[in-house]
Amino acid sequence: MEYTNLTVVKTQHGIEVEGNSVWRFNQHLNLMVLVGDESIRIKPNMFFERVIKLS
């Protein structure tokens, strides 16, 4: 499942990711991982919403 962040998020390492970026939840790590750059991870919070894909 893919999610999008509703606001700008800042990682522990000070990296800012703009809103509406696409993320995937990694169950093993219990972290959100940025699609396209899997080195950027953040704890899930209320600022994410599920992406609904339309066919």
Side-chain angles (χ1 to χ4, degrees), residues 17-37:
V17 180
E18 63 185 52
N20 295 321
S21 298
V22 180
W23 301 74
R24 286 199 183 106
F25 181 67
N26 183 313
Q27 291 178 322
H28 300 289
L29 298 173
N30 195 29
L31 294 172
M32 301 299 287
V33 178
L34 184 64
V35 172
D37 187 349

Side-chain angles (χ1 to χ4, degrees), residues 6 10 13 27 33 39 41 49:
L6 302 174
K10 194 171 189 177
H13 303 291
Q27 291 178 322
V33 178
S39 67
R41 300 171 181 174
E49 111 180 335

